[in-house]
Amino acid sequence: MEFLQAVEDVVKEFNNLEKRTVRIVGHLDADGISSTSILISALKRENIKFNVSIIKQIDQNILDELKKEDYPIIFFVDLGSGNLSMIEKALTGKHVFILDHHKPEDVKTNLIHLNPHLYEMDGDIELSGAGVVYLFARKLNEKNKDLSYLAVIGAIGDMQESKGFIGLNNEILKDAIQSRKIEIKDGLRMFGMQTRPLHKVLEYSTDPYVPGVTGNEKGAIRFLGEIGIELKENGKFKKLIHLNQDDTKKLITGIILRRLGSEDKPEDVLGPIYLLTNEEEENPTKDAREFATLLNACGRLNKPSLGIGTCLGNVNIKNKAINLLIDYKKEIINSLNWFYSHRNTSDIVERKGYIIINAEDNIRDTLIGTLASMISKSNLYANGTIILALAHTLEEDTKVSVRICGNSSVDTRNILNDILKVTGGIGGGHKGAAGCLILQEKEEEFIKTAEKVLGKVAIEEEIK
Ligand code: C5P
Ligand code: C5P
Ligand code: ZN
């Protein structure tokens, strides 16, 4: 396959270089942290030294810093493809490797650039950043197959899994199973199976959405009563993993019945669950989906090193990361509460087809995308509704996240680009999730332009 040939060529180029300390720059989310951890482990194995930074996005300041530093080899992982010309201009004379899966900027460069989009693969679903880095690592040394599970976590973190994987992601999953790091069980796919009380899992379940239960704690408790499942066992709340076969059946049937008449197939609640064989039950690191969330929490709360330490298997650091998860959940609940309590104020514009949330300093810029994602999955708004959310950064810029509710053919990147043509700013992302950074003084103009662009999209979608 052409892409794997390209991987081989890139590994050769790397091997031809004199092995000095390697500079790694990785993206801040779960996929970026997985990518970085895979690269670190692979370099350690070759006794190559490294120096790591985790960043939110590439900007001129960061590139200026890298230029000043004395590292001849720089790896960008899970970012970079959207900023090729900027990078090339800033870092001429250095050996720059970009291992990414974001849609590349459409320019010719001399950078060493590995990206599935360049080989007619869909980098949004077939391969994650961690997947690209893993394939590089596997070619560097066959032993790195034992890192494949991190690439599975990265792909799950980037929402590339839906009832299984496709493309190279699926090959990587096979490596993870073969190396006995991941096992697959079929069952109810609900977030928090290992860690949360059952009624909480049901209350927070947006995917699958359970009518009368999702978003309703009392409803969730009532539902369990109706289907005859005890809330507690020996005075402690039961978790989903504690249910016996009989209760599991009752729960599945109960959920399917509740979901009859919903748009998707009721049995969609069942599917593969990815478990890490070496992790302990009831830990947030047991289920690959929860692991990805843990990494996200570390990145988003500005402690990416805790995420990296967790991936590298450091038990002390892992415990710190698990503590951080509690803060993360609190902050997410606070941001949801802010959203609900400001729906009728000028901070939130709700129109047919789109909503604009202007959180300013009320929500951390690194969490605004998570909030937008949660709202988009919440059934609050009709299918196809576009969500635009803005928040201030500590550097006094404005971060914007774009998401879309349900299934839609609309590409959020195009929407964002149309707005950015007017206001300026750098951005990128995927079809279903995009983001950008703009100057704070452009905020008002951005919102005005967005209303025009989004209003037009809403009308076009209605006509279709
Ligand atoms: O920069 P990167 O691609 O790694 O960011 C991925 C983020 O975008 C994830 O945190 C996820 O929340 C979001 N995403 C999404 N739907 C997709 C792809 C990504 O919500 N289809
Ligand atoms: O930050 P958020 O989760 O909203 O990002 C969604 C997608 O947009 C991610 O894939 C991210 O990498 C991309 N993005 C970008 N440039 C930015 C902000 C986000 O390419 N300045
Ligand atoms: Zn990614």
Side-chain angles (χ1 to χ4, degrees):
M1 194 205 230
E2 264 182 78
F3 182 73
L4 294 178
Q5 183 57 49
V7 172
E8 198 172 331
D9 295 344
V10 170
V11 170
K12 268 189 206 143
E13 289 212 47
F14 179 69
N15 281 333
N16 283 337
L17 296 173
E18 190 194 339
K19 291 299 168 315
R20 309 248 296 275
T21 303
V22 168
R23 188 74 171 94
I24 307 174
V25 181
H27 188 222
L28 160 125
D29 70 359
D31 187 28
I33 292 177
S34 309
S35 305
T36 306
S37 305
I38 294 171
L39 188 55
I40 289 176
S41 303
L43 293 177
K44 273 189 170 176
R45 208 163 236 159
E46 308 302 315
N47 289 317
I48 299 170
K49 291 202 174 67
F50 52 83
N51 185 327
V52 180
S53 300
I54 298 289
I55 63 171
K56 286 187 273 194
Q57 60 247 322
I58 288 181
D59 62 32
Q60 197 55 48
N61 289 340
I62 287 163
L63 294 175
D64 290 343
E65 284 298 310
L66 290 168
K67 182 190 170 129
K68 273 190 240 150
E69 294 175 358
D70 194 23
Y71 299 105
I73 306 174
I74 308 179
F75 273 78
F76 290 94
V77 295
D78 192 36
L79 42 65
S81 291
N83 313 85
L84 298 170
S85 37
M86 250 174 116
I87 294 175
E88 182 161 44
K89 197 158 157 237
L91 302 176
T92 35
K94 299 195 189 255
H95 302 283
V96 177
F97 291 76
I98 296 175
L99 309 187
D100 192 8
H101 71 129
H102 290 90
K103 198 149 189 203
E105 184 188 348
D106 192 11
V107 287
K108 271 213 161 354
T109 71
N110 293 315
L111 300 167
I112 304 161
H113 181 205
L114 205 49
N115 185 316
H117 283 289
L118 303 173
Y119 300 87
E120 287 173 13
M121 284 188 271
D122 185 349
D124 288 358
I125 46 175
E126 291 182 48
L127 195 61
S128 65
V132 178
V133 179
Y134 168 69
L135 294 173
F136 171 86
R138 188 179 73 177
K139 196 75 219 169
L140 193 66
N141 187 336
E142 181 100 8
K143 282 188 190 150
N144 290 327
K145 269 198 173 173
D146 64 355
L147 302 172
S148 48
Y149 74 102
L150 290 172
V152 173
I153 293 170
I156 289 176
D158 263 8
M159 321 268 177
Q160 300 195 326
E161 196 270 354
S162 81
K163 293 281 181 92
F165 289 100
I166 59 166
L168 284 171
N169 269 335
N170 205 28
E171 297 294 309
I172 295 173
L173 176 67
K174 281 186 197 148
D175 282 356
I177 293 168
Q178 227 173 38
S179 57
R180 299 218 176 88
K181 296 279 184 166
I182 282 191
E183 56 180 344
I184 301 184
K185 283 198 178 146
D186 275 307
L188 260 181
R189 282 159 56 98
M190 300 200 128
F191 189 85
M193 305 185 44
Q194 298 282 338
T195 51
R196 294 184 184 170
L198 179 56
H199 67 285
K200 282 283 167 195
V201 165
L202 292 167
E203 178 192 344
Y204 289 126
S205 174
T206 51
D207 178 22
Y209 182 84
V210 189
V213 173
T214 300
N216 181 344
E217 184 176 26
K218 286 201 187 97
I221 294 173
R222 211 178 309 126
F223 169 70
L224 287 173
E226 273 168 28
I227 58 176
I229 294 178
E230 296 283 342
L231 214 53
K232 291 185 178 178
E233 191 168 56
N234 303 327
K236 275 172 76 179
F237 283 118
K238 275 194 212 170
K239 294 178 181 173
L240 220 157
I241 49 165
H242 295 145
L243 295 187
N244 61 29
Q245 238 182 353
D246 209 32
D247 279 351
T248 307
K249 268 195 200 145
K250 278 190 213 160
L251 182 62
I252 293 171
T253 315
I255 291 175
I256 290 179
L257 285 176
R258 278 279 175 125
R259 281 165 48 86
L260 281 180
S262 85
E263 274 179 31
D264 21 66
K265 289 196 216 92
E267 62 274 21
D268 274 357
V269 295
L270 299 171
I273 297 161
Y274 306 89
L275 297 172
L276 274 71
T277 45
N278 295 334
E279 298 290 329
E280 273 173 46
E281 293 264 320
E282 302 191 39
N283 255 344
T285 44
K286 182 69 182 175
D287 183 317
R289 253 216 292 178
E290 291 194 56
F291 199 124
T293 299
L294 182 72
L295 297 184
N296 242 323
C298 296
R300 308 264 170 212
L301 296 188
N302 273 325
K303 301 256 168 37
S305 57
L306 297 185
I308 294 173
T310 305
C311 289
L312 299 180
N314 182 314
V315 176
N316 261 334
I317 294 184
K318 184 162 90 180
N319 289 332
K320 282 190 189 157
I322 290 172
N323 278 328
L324 199 66
L325 197 55
I326 299 167
D327 299 340
Y328 179 67
K329 283 181 187 155
K330 272 191 207 145
E331 206 166 317
I332 286 183
I333 290 170
N334 288 345
S335 58
L336 271 172
N337 285 341
W338 180 88
F339 165 74
Y340 283 115
S341 60
H342 286 76
R343 277 183 76 185
N344 292 317
T345 71
S346 59
D347 296 338
I348 298 174
V349 175
E350 294 183 315
R351 303 252 194 281
K352 196 170 172 20
Y354 67 90
I355 70 164
I356 301 175
I357 303 164
N358 190 8
E360 298 190 322
D361 293 311
N362 295 298
I363 293 171
R364 206 190 273 255
D365 63 315
T366 49
L367 283 181
I368 194 75
T370 310
L371 176 74
S373 288
M374 283 191 301
I375 295 172
S376 74
K377 291 188 190 124
S378 69
N379 283 31
L380 267 182
Y381 300 102
N383 216 4
T385 305
I386 292 152
I387 297 175
L388 235 144
L390 294 79
H392 292 167
T393 70
L394 293 175
E395 297 79 24
E396 299 188 352
D397 291 317
T398 295
K399 163 72 200 299
V400 185
S401 288
V402 195
R403 301 290 190 270
I404 193 152
C405 301
N407 305 316
S408 166
S409 57
V410 175
D411 189 330
T412 57
R413 280 172 304 208
N414 295 343
I415 293 173
L416 196 57
N417 284 335
D418 285 349
I419 306 171
L420 292 183
K421 267 183 221 150
V422 178
T423 61
I426 37 176
H430 309 276
K431 196 165 169 280
C436 72
L437 206 59
I438 58 168
L439 294 174
Q440 223 169 82
E441 61 256 31
K442 291 278 181 181
E443 215 168 76
E444 218 183 292
E445 190 185 11
F446 185 93
I447 293 175
K448 266 195 197 140
T449 315
E451 290 217 49
K452 272 191 212 146
V453 172
L454 292 172
K456 214 169 135 233
V457 173
I459 292 168
E460 278 166 9
E461 283 302 295
E462 210 160 281
I463 295 169
K464 264 191 201 168

